[in-house]
Amino acid sequence: AKAVIVYDSIYGNTELVAKAIARTLEAAGHPVRLMRVKDALKTQAEGDTLFVGSPTRIGTMTGRTWKLLKNMDVGPWRGKPVVAFDTEAQELLKGSGGGAAARIHDLAVSRGLTVHTPVLRVGVSGIKGPLSTGSEGLVEAYVKEFLRSA
């Protein structure tokens, strides 16, 4: 099953998560197309699963990510699993806000898409990173669990 991973990244942490997702999917035999949100705004990617990720900025997704989800043609993705992921300062992850991934989830659901739960949230040390210790293992375990349930 072909996976499309679309992500926005400011300091490179969400990109690292997207690449870790891609590595785990490829290791399981799935072809992957990795795209930045700014490129996905210009072209419609097709696949069997869509991963959408954004850093959490002031409790929500980036403006580019919102624009993508708000304006994309959801037709090709109806009935296919969508996975939301984000990065957020480790100390804020414990809060109840839910960050970018929760907002991505809600916007995608409002557009009629089927979003996998729980969403994937990855902690970042400080504002600019690096990713929190153990993040690679967390991402790998999440993706493997998703593949088992899909």
Side-chain angles (χ1 to χ4, degrees):
K2 181 181 179 190
V4 176
I5 304 168
V6 179
Y7 67 93
D8 202 4
S9 198
I10 293 169
Y11 299 115
N13 297 298
T14 310
E15 181 175 20
L16 291 173
V17 172
K19 288 180 174 177
I21 291 168
R23 276 194 302 279
T24 306
L25 290 166
E26 286 167 342
H30 300 279
V32 171
R33 179 166 184 199
L34 202 55
M35 302 176 74
R36 286 186 164 276
V37 166
K38 66 179 184 188
D39 299 322
L41 283 165
K42 298 175 201 145
T43 176
Q44 175 87 20
E46 306 220 352
D48 304 301
T49 307
L50 177 64
F51 287 77
V52 180
S54 170
T56 298
R57 308 288 290 174
I58 320 166
T60 191
M61 69 190 97
T62 62
R64 281 185 299 255
T65 306
W66 181 87
K67 185 177 175 186
L68 174 74
L69 287 168
K70 197 72 184 159
N71 299 319
M72 71 185 268
D73 174 11
V74 295
W77 297 107
R78 282 205 201 284
K80 296 177 181 176
V82 176
V83 178
F85 67 96
D86 71 15
T87 52
E88 182 165 29
Q90 185 64 46
E91 56 273 16
L92 299 175
L93 266 183
K94 303 289 181 244
S96 59
R103 307 285 98 69
I104 291 167
H105 170 281
D106 294 349
L107 181 52
V109 167
S110 78
R111 302 261 357 250
L113 297 173
T114 307
V115 186
H116 180 74
T117 53
V119 296
L120 173 59
R121 310 210 60 221
V122 181
V124 174
S125 303
I127 299 292
K128 296 185 178 180
L131 292 175
S132 300
T133 309
S135 294
E136 184 89 20
L138 172 87
V139 171
E140 192 176 316
Y142 178 93
V143 173
K144 286 180 176 174
E145 177 58 36
F146 164 75
L147 289 172
R148 276 194 295 278
S149 70

